[in-house]
């Protein structure tokens, strides 16, 4: 099971969200709690953040705990909007940086946790990878992100999004879809800190 987090709020160093918390993504990558499948999230990681209106990303196919360059730079990367993830790849899916969230269309950052039957996804030449999450992201980008905030997007005859975890941000909005529940511009929750949303 992949893990991801989203932040929309005051400008904050990316390290304070991803690396520093006692149960942040760094710890969740090698010692996840309540994980039903696999023991670690070692198949890659990614951190996306907004530099003004421009989404920037740092992704790797290596485990998060092994990237000392990111650990040294993350305290200097500051943003008011962050989407980050650690990956546990579905069997048969490639382990490569392009298959690792967050995905982008140049305006949005999107992370997905779950499995999608690729047979119900349309072929997409704009997908960053052949993995199900990349194809799903390209499909959502093509259909419009606003649909995630209001209704479930139907793909093919099945409705795979009803059971997916999707987290997306565009710098001014944070949109989450968890098992068919949709949240747009969520009110700050005390659980993860003001404005933080974790799935």
């Amino acid at each position: 099971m992949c893990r991801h987090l989203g932040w929309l709020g005051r400008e904050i160093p990316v390290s304070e969200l991803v690396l520093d918390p006692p149960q942040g993504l760094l710890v969740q990558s090698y010692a996840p709690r309540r994980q039903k499948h696999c023991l670690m999230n070692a198949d890659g990681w990614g951190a996306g953040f907004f530099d003004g209106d421009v989404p920037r990303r740092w992704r790797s196919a290596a485990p998060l705990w092994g990237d000392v360059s990111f650990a040294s730079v993350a305290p200097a990367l500051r943003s008011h909007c962050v989407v980050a993830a650690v990956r546990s790849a579905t069997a048969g899916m490639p382990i490569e940086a392009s298959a690792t969230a967050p995905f982008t269309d140049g305006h949005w950052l999107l992370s997905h946790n779950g499995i999608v039957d690729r047979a119900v996804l349309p072929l997409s030449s704009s997908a960053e990878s052949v993995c199900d999450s990349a194809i799903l992201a390209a499909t959502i980008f093509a259909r419009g992100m606003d649909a995630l905030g209001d209704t479930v997007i139907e793909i093919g005859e099945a409705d795979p999004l009803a059971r997916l975890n999707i987290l997306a941000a565009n710098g001014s909005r944070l949109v989450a879809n968890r098992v068919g529940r949709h949240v747009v511009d969520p009110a700050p929750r005390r659980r993860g800190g003001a404005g933080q949303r974790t799935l």
Side-chain angles (χ1 to χ4, degrees):
M1 177 171 93
C2 301
R3 306 287 181 115
H4 51 203
L5 71 80
W7 172 267
L8 180 61
R10 66 179 172 82
E11 189 173 86
I12 189 170
V14 172
S15 60
E16 287 188 27
L17 297 169
V18 178
L19 304 177
D20 299 344
Q23 287 300 319
L25 285 182
L26 174 61
V27 174
Q28 289 184 43
S29 68
Y30 62 81
R33 296 183 303 170
R34 297 187 293 260
Q35 185 147 317
K36 294 180 182 179
H37 307 288
C38 79
L39 300 175
M40 291 186 264
N41 294 282
D43 298 325
W45 66 274
F49 54 94
F50 282 83
D51 177 13
D53 294 334
V54 180
R56 309 280 185 195
R57 296 179 296 171
W58 188 321
R59 301 185 298 170
S60 173
L64 178 56
W65 66 81
D67 194 324
V68 295
S69 294
F70 180 70
S72 70
V73 173
L77 301 174
R78 300 180 63 86
S79 183
H80 69 283
C81 187
V82 177
V83 174
V86 291
R87 182 172 186 234
S88 177
T90 302
M93 296 295 165
I95 298 174
E96 58 193 16
S98 62
T100 305
F103 304 100
T104 188
D105 65 350
H107 304 285
W108 286 87
L109 292 170
L110 184 142
S111 179
H112 161 249
N113 171 30
I115 300 172
V116 184
D117 180 359
R118 287 188 289 179
V120 303
L121 291 170
L123 294 176
S124 173
S125 61
S126 62
E128 295 181 57
S129 172
V130 297
C131 79
D132 56 348
S133 293
I135 297 169
L136 176 67
T139 302
I140 292 170
F141 292 146
R143 293 185 179 201
M145 286 297 309
D146 287 338
L148 265 182
D150 302 317
T151 60
V152 172
I153 298 172
E154 293 184 11
I155 300 174
E157 295 179 10
D159 185 11
L161 287 181
R163 293 174 293 282
L164 299 179
N165 290 323
I166 297 172
L167 181 63
N170 73 353
S172 62
R173 290 178 61 202
L174 181 65
V175 179
N177 166 303
R178 186 171 187 181
V179 193
R181 183 179 55 171
H182 309 278
V183 180
V184 178
D185 298 328
R189 289 184 156 193
R190 295 292 170 221
R191 176 177 170 211
Q196 186 174 3
R197 199 59 192 244
T198 57
L199 297 179

